[in-house]
């Protein structure tokens, strides 16, 4: 099967030019002009942008009460052809066993986007440290720790992060942290509840920027002490972003991502009436406008590398899950769906407002996440030899984001009613058309498990 | 009794001038020229410097295995007329009870310098937080927490420091921290011992500057979150000093001190043969030269406020205490004697080398420590109405520091063999001659307990 | 003649205490309690503050069209007993000749406050550089250059400042700069006038903060290249203050002052109707509120050292001088009177609002300016042996600043109508009562010329 | 003519992959696998790297006594297919006229690489400012000013740079500056010569880093005041690099390049015996090692954008030109040849030592210079539609740089004797083989004048 996408304007992380793309089987085999002798199918992309399918390096499917891979069509409909899921670690299982089990139970034969797995430490034992050395053999090259959630079994102390950092660099595993000071969150939560401050808006007050900044600073000190790379997930505030930026400036391999909602939703949403604020409860919390501005600038200037969705569609949605916290914000299940809208939000609120260039959009949406996760060059670019994961994008489409068009399976959309400019007109996964104009046209189980290679981007500037 | 000190060159924290000082009873009642009609005794201080008796805001008498107030004559012989001791908290006792007991058992009727007590949290319970409000009534306005010493009952988590900071500002209590990350020290100690690195020099390797800097940064974040003043004791390294400096620059009431040995002894001492290095084991450890340079600059420019001795003379000294760790540096009891040599070291290695001016010397030796601890203006200056705690200093004396001349009671002196320029020729405690040319000429029990006032210097720039 | 000031609360730059002050002739001879046997006169200062007479290190008498020493009673009425005037340099005269001539023609036998002279370069020739070495012999230890005022003979290029800095350190002369980029001011003025923007408010637009910051940065580079101390006069904006602060932080001997109007008047005043804005035209211009805040913080934290008045009372005042620029703001003569109100403004808007402590007030009003100008310890403190320049200050007085009470001789007061808290009840110049409750009670010609000593405060941290 | 380059490993600024490149006429028409049906010529590049021909944005041909376009074969032999020359401005000619004349007289029909022209202001008149608006019409979108060379007609004052910046942004012209404080250089030169310090090493002493940093800071202030983009050419020292970096961090469109010799030659070379040091005299001067390290880090991290050669081959070479300064370093003609060795130096001392990745090499060697100069996407990348300027690079070749292999026409090579790893095996200019294994195989006059587009890369983050 030879497929030709003709005359599109190809956007890469560094350039933009008009050319044809020839796909043979699952791979891109040529980019050129006047290609196409003998193509089985020709698609005209004149006047459209053509860019690599997205790589969302931060999704939750089947962890923390979220819906599972049955709803991964949301990703491809939204132009994201590869998702990197955080595989939860059941008590007593190793990381490799956890990933294997998570894949076999929930993903294999079901996933509708290609996928990969981060390790996510939820049963932090001494054995874990030794296991890190063998993770890459199993295709796992990233490992996340939680510095938050006091009272849960997965909040870790500094010692285990430090030991993990010491070992990880030997194997090229990238240590990731959820950086919030769990001790202080716990005190603030209790103080707020004791004062009768139970509404969703107090979720933000219980996790102020300094709580995130402190943990970020601490993780950075641990990385510097261990002389090891570090990746800070969901950076949400100016203070933490500046820590990541300034540490990198000092020559250390410390990096971070942010997420779509931290770029597009302000803290005010948490104060919406009728408990609507609960729809926006995630941790760290969404922030006031000044932080959004700082995060966009950070992306534009390369101080943060990528934008994940932190997709987490609660099974019970607003009615059955979020409302559990109606009398106590600490009981509201965390997380918001977002994987489907990542492209639309970055384009509409980033490119269209000139906060970022189209090149930078491709960079943070696809290319760099693939590099961070050891999936590049197979994923994340339109280039000869890469998987034919391709979005044909109509920049002229105009619409509104709504749960009615969402495949994520939950009963609300955090971005409900927001304007959308441009749309993924056609999405190809390894050469097969899989979504068209907001509709899923692929098949259940079409997604493949892609193993990570070790020594991802965070090791680029690393010296032992 | 009217005593006149004539013709001395008075040094204050801001000036220098020749004048007579008239003392009536325990107080200074006049400074002038041609004073002295009817003085009972006249002392000629021509050609000598005259400055306030020292205030050493960091000493240990009777805690951590140190000798008690029986050896406080070491302070006055060395020109320090007021010491601020860290009163240990026995399990089950409140801070106020601990201070009372420590005073009654060990200090009262014995002390040979005036003295005051910091609270030192060693049994961190929830009750403590409430007690903070009433500490000033008992004359206690400072409270120290340990962020180090994993495995001991007194290493605290972030939560209790944070709560203490929240409450302390209501009562004008200054929270102090010993800032080292106990978790990481513990790992490094175990890793070093496992590698057979048991000598004293590895004490330094187990507590590198970043371990101190991380804890300092964390304490500062907690203070900022609680919006409360903070005082960091024994800052030893460039990194921590810069954190204190830069935080103050941002407008926050965060301050710090350093100690004599961090200014005058380098890490190399820990490598001395025949286990001699053990004599220099204290925590945080002494550092390489670049840190000494940074600390002197910090004092000169006001980025650190004061210099304590962290005096801690082990009862068993080198032979019976330090040698406990001959096979394992982690077993070496911490602490070095220093209260007697603080003046000599600051003068010889600070003033004489032009690292600090004589005015700055008085500032860090006497005036500012008194202000930090709520003892000013009674202590810390030569001024009408203040206690007549006075040093007549001969700047021309030259000698060598040696344990033979030391009153501290331990069997070694960490500064053994170092040159000394200048000496306290006469030391007056509340108007009474109490030391002369390195000899104690006062009486046991002459020292008075001086209660602290709340809202010390750390509250000067504080706004709720 | 023995005068006793009894029971006042003495404020120094570091302390506060109640004591009597004994004055014999022109000097303070004793400070104590119960002094006064045989005093010829006793003044009760109970309930009053007593502090050193002010040292205003930035005044213009008889330069740039300002009134001369006939109006220096304004200084003493306002509690300032020493003024340091910028002596203009007529074409062809050396600095020493200029100072001599200025003194003999305008000051001697007329001045009503003690006074000293800065050199002010207005005829920048090569001879000047050589003369610097001999300035201290003539009692001149400071020398100011103008980086602004394109078109005038006194705006200098970088080369002469650099050469002056190279030479000055050999003689202990402190180089001072008026830091504004004259080239850019000139362009902006012409562009604004060409656009019909002729009102006083455009004076600010023609000299924005960056114009000052650039010149400040440049002067600092020159000082660093020459390895020589630098003092930046009238720092008005956050940007310049931060340059001075950060350079000092890097270890260089760079310092600065600000002036009263930059602390208390915002740019809005320049927009007052009926050409009233012209009353506030001075260079650099007054700034928006954020800069005022930054300057107060800088004083409080020691990043700027002193507050001068930049007193410059135009002979023709508003009606005959300022109105020359009614059609063109560039023609408005610069300068505002201020020497009389410096104490009142610093106390009312600094101490009373808790922006600075009473100690810091004394520091920036008297002590440090005296040190910068080589007049300390004779001037700037209440201490035995110093001149008996003393203010008895009633902190309870309340009133309003008005030109009616002003001795400065011009027809308006820039601070007209502003509240004043506290007043100099009695002002003594070298032991003689010279002002009382806002009235001058001294004599014309009572002021003495005080020669500067070289190697003032800016040399304290200097190393060749 | 259809040419196929097969199986090479293509390096772009973001990626690396194996593919064939199809060239039709002067353009790249396809990149793919298994291409080549019907190619007229097939070149096997297996095991070789293939990357875009270099863009050297900083060369001097025919200005300042340098050889002219007769020697531009040096560029293509060294893998640089496009050079951007600084066209000198004769007195009385406009910039457009100067470029036209320079092109017609010296380049057209002679050049052997494609070329473009910066405007270079050497006759700074008021007319210039107005002309800036029309420069882009003539294909000139960059304009350089000299802040150095006192005594020459082309050293400019701040005013003209400021006015140029104000106007340039309207037309999308990028203002460039040679940043050294000419006043201070002049003084230092005279002082050194007066002290008998006439050897080449004193060239460095006469232009220390702070002289460059000051001018860089000043240019940045002017750009900020004018709110206009700025490009600093040949950044040579840590201080200036940090200014560019930190300004960009503050959100301003300020950028810079460095040059090959600042990355690979230390100041020590200036001290070589037998006047050999003169071979290294260029301005700003080469620096001590710490600056080289800082510049490499800056490139690696994106704080500087590009590396030019500042190629300037003196007609008289060492014997007839450089020796003019044998008794006085200020008389040594500035400039060194370098265009031919840029690739070799960046690869050998950057890529091979792992200071930069191969991707970053392509970025600073070709892609970003093309973007800065408005030549992208035609130049600077291997992409469909771009000019077929291609280097086939043999990474295994090893040799030594020597003047014997140099085409630059001067009698010495500043990099003589340095190791070289890798070589441009084949260089194609718009599809035609033009150099092979260090030999020029093209034709005189083959180079085309490429006009710049306005609003180059420096405008990417610019907002009016």
């Amino acid at each position: 099967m030879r497929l030709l996408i003709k005359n599109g304007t190809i956007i890469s992380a560094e350039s933009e030019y008009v050319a044809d793309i020839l796909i043979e089987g699952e791979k891109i085999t040529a980019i050129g002009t006047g290609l196409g002798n003998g193509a089985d199918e020709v698609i005209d992309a004149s006047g459209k942008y053509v860019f690599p399918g997205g790589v969302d390096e931060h999704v939750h499917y089947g962890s923390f009460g979220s819906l599972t891979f049955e709803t991964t069509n949301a990703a491809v409909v939204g132009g994201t052809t590869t998702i990197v899921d955080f595989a939860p670690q059941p008590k007593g299982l190793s990381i490799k066993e956890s990933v294997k089990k998570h894949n076999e139970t929930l993903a294999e034969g079901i996933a509708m986007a290609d996928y990969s797995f981060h390790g996510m430490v939820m049963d932090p034992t001494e054995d874990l440290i030794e296991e890190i050395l063998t993770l890459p053999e199993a295709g796992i090259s990233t490992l996340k720790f939680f510095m938050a959630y006091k009272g849960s079994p997965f909040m870790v102390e500094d010692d285990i992060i430090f030991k993990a950092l010491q070992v990880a660099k030997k194997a090229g595993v990238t240590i990731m942290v959820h950086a919030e000071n769990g001790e202080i969150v716990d005190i603030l939560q209790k103080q707020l509840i004791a004062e009768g401050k139970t509404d969703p808006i107090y979720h933000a007050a219980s996790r102020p920027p300094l709580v995130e900044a402190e943990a970020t600073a601490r993780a950075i000190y641990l990385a510097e002490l261990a002389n090891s790379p570090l990746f800070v997930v969901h950076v949400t505030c100016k203070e933490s972003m500046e820590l990541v930026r300034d540490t990198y400036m000092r020559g250390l391999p410390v990096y971070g991502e942010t997420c779509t909602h931290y770029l597009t939703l302000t803290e005010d949403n948490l104060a919406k009436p009728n408990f609507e604020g609960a729809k926006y409860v995630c941790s760290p919390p969404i922030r006031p406008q000044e932080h959004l501005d700082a995060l966009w600038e950070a992306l534009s200037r390369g101080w943060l590398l990528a934008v994940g969705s932190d997709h987490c569609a609660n099974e019970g949605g607003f009615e059955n899950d979020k409302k559990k916290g109606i009398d106590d914000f600490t009981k509201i299940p965390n997380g918001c769906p977002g994987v489907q809208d990542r492209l639309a939000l970055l384009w509409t609120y980033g490119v269209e407002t000139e906060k970022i260039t189209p090149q930078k959009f491709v960079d943070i949406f696809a290319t760099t996440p693939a590099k961070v996760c050891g999936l590049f060059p197979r994923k994340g670019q339109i280039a000869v030899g890469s998987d034919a994961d391709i979005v044909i994008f109509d920049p002229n489409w105009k619409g509104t984001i709504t749960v009615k068009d969402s495949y994520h399976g939950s009963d609300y959309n955090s971005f409900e009613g927001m304007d959308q400019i441009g749309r993924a007109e056609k999405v190809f996964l390894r050469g097969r058309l899989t979504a068209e104009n907001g509709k899923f046209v692929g098949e259940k189980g079409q997604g493949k498990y892609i193993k990570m290679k070790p020594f991802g981007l965070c090791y680029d500037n690393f010296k032992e």
Side-chain angles (χ1 to χ4, degrees), chain A:
Chain A
M1 169 76 182
R2 292 161 57 94
L3 170 68
L4 189 73
I5 299 174
K6 280 196 77 72
N7 294 324
T9 300
I10 300 173
I11 313 176
S12 74
E14 70 170 38
S15 189
E16 179 179 322
Y17 57 98
V18 173
D20 309 337
I21 300 171
L22 182 66
I23 297 161
E24 296 182 86
E26 300 196 330
K27 300 285 179 187
I28 295 166
T29 56
I31 300 169
T33 52
L35 296 181
N37 297 341
D40 303 297
E41 188 182 345
V42 176
I43 292 169
D44 184 28
S46 302
K48 304 288 157 59
Y49 286 123
V50 179
F51 49 73
V55 177
D56 188 338
E57 95 272 286
H58 197 145
V59 303
H60 292 280
Y61 277 104
S63 55
F64 303 116
S66 68
L67 287 155
T68 74
F69 287 76
E70 299 279 354
T71 57
T72 45
N73 44 3
V76 290
V77 166
T80 289
T81 46
T82 305
I83 53 179
V84 190
D85 184 58
F86 286 92
Q89 180 189 22
K91 189 162 176 56
L93 252 55
S94 73
I95 293 294
K96 287 196 293 286
E97 290 164 348
S98 303
V99 167
K100 188 162 185 288
K101 185 184 164 198
H102 194 60
N103 181 31
E104 290 175 359
T105 320
L106 299 177
E108 222 167 45
I110 298 170
M112 287 165 264
D114 281 3
Y115 61 96
S116 194
F117 293 111
H118 302 289
M120 174 163 70
V121 179
M122 301 183 72
D123 183 27
T125 63
E126 280 293 322
D127 294 345
L128 171 73
I129 302 305
E130 210 153 317
E131 194 196 0
I132 290 172
L133 289 170
T134 60
L135 290 178
E137 297 166 14
I140 307 162
S141 301
T142 55
L143 189 64
K144 182 168 84 163
F145 290 89
F146 289 96
M147 301 172 80
Y149 302 115
K150 186 169 180 179
S152 79
F154 46 89
M155 171 167 148
V156 295
E157 295 295 319
D158 297 352
D159 52 0
I160 198 152
I161 299 177
F162 179 63
K163 286 182 192 170
L165 285 160
Q166 286 183 318
V167 168
K169 62 181 167 179
K170 297 177 194 167
V173 169
T174 300
I175 298 298
M176 298 178 156
V177 288
H178 172 136
E180 288 186 299
N181 185 316
E183 297 277 349
I184 304 305
V185 169
D186 184 62
I187 296 175
L188 293 174
Q189 284 181 337
K190 286 174 180 157
Q191 290 178 344
L192 288 161
I193 295 297
E195 293 168 22
K197 295 173 171 169
T198 62
D199 286 344
I201 184 65
Y202 296 108
H203 176 67
S206 74
R207 312 178 93 96
L210 285 176
V211 156
E212 181 184 340
E214 186 286 317
T216 304
R218 186 151 33 102
I220 289 171
Y221 277 113
L222 297 178
E224 189 171 359
L225 268 160
N227 186 27
S228 195
L230 177 73
F231 188 82
V232 183
V233 300
H234 48 47
V235 172
T236 76
C237 61
K238 191 167 190 290
E239 290 83 353
S240 290
M241 178 277 281
E242 290 177 349
L243 283 165
V244 170
R245 176 191 74 185
D246 294 349
T247 304
Y248 180 78
M249 293 266 297
R250 285 195 294 122
L252 301 177
V254 168
Y255 304 88
E257 61 158 24
T258 188
C259 299
T260 343
H261 37 306
Y262 301 119
L263 291 165
T264 55
L265 298 175
T266 66
E267 198 182 80
D268 300 340
N269 287 284
L270 285 165
K272 282 192 178 167
N274 302 323
F275 199 62
E276 290 272 313
K279 293 181 178 173
Y280 306 92
V281 167
C282 56
S283 294
I286 51 179
R287 305 289 187 192
Q289 185 64 43
E290 61 167 321
H291 297 282
L292 282 64
D293 298 341
L295 295 175
W296 277 114
E297 189 188 15
L299 288 168
S300 165
R301 291 173 179 271
W303 305 331
L304 293 176
L305 295 188
V307 178
S309 68
D310 202 355
H311 180 82
C312 185
N314 306 106
E315 212 172 336
F318 178 64
E319 286 304 327
N320 295 315
D321 268 352
K322 294 287 190 185
K323 287 204 172 163
K324 288 174 187 166
I326 195 141
D327 296 324
D328 179 347
F329 72 84
T330 70
K331 300 205 163 67
I332 303 170
N334 275 238
C336 310
V339 74
Q340 185 172 338
D341 301 309
R342 192 171 64 109
L343 189 171
L345 292 163
L346 288 176
W347 190 273
T348 306
Y349 299 95
V351 177
E352 287 287 336
T353 62
E354 298 189 357
K355 287 194 183 71
I356 52 173
T357 61
Q359 283 68 39
K360 180 56 77 176
F361 158 76
V362 169
D363 187 35
I364 61 181
F365 175 68
T367 309
T368 293
K371 289 179 174 176
V372 168
C373 297
L375 304 173
F376 189 86
R378 179 169 178 184
K379 299 295 187 185
Q381 68 174 351
I382 291 185
V384 174
S386 294
D387 279 358
D389 299 338
I390 293 175
V391 174
I392 299 178
F393 184 77
D394 176 4
N396 297 314
W397 189 87
K398 287 197 167 58
T400 302
I401 296 174
T402 169
V403 68
K404 292 186 201 111
D405 296 336
S406 302
Y407 281 80
H408 56 57
S410 209
D411 64 358
Y412 74 99
N413 185 316
S414 313
F415 309 102
E416 188 73 31
M418 287 174 72
D419 290 337
Q420 176 178 338
I421 300 176
R423 188 172 60 167
E425 192 175 282
K426 288 190 170 57
V427 180
F428 299 87
L429 177 65
R430 279 176 282 105
R432 295 178 53 187
L433 183 67
T434 184
E436 206 166 2
N437 294 326
K439 302 292 171 207
F440 181 66
V441 300
E443 289 168 25
K444 183 166 161 180
Q446 69 184 4
K448 264 195 200 168
Y449 179 21
I450 313 289
K451 305 231 166 152
M452 296 172 171
K453 286 177 292 182
F455 295 102
L457 179 147
C458 298
Y459 281 85
D460 276 6
N461 279 295
F462 172 67
K463 293 206 177 67
E464 179 62 82

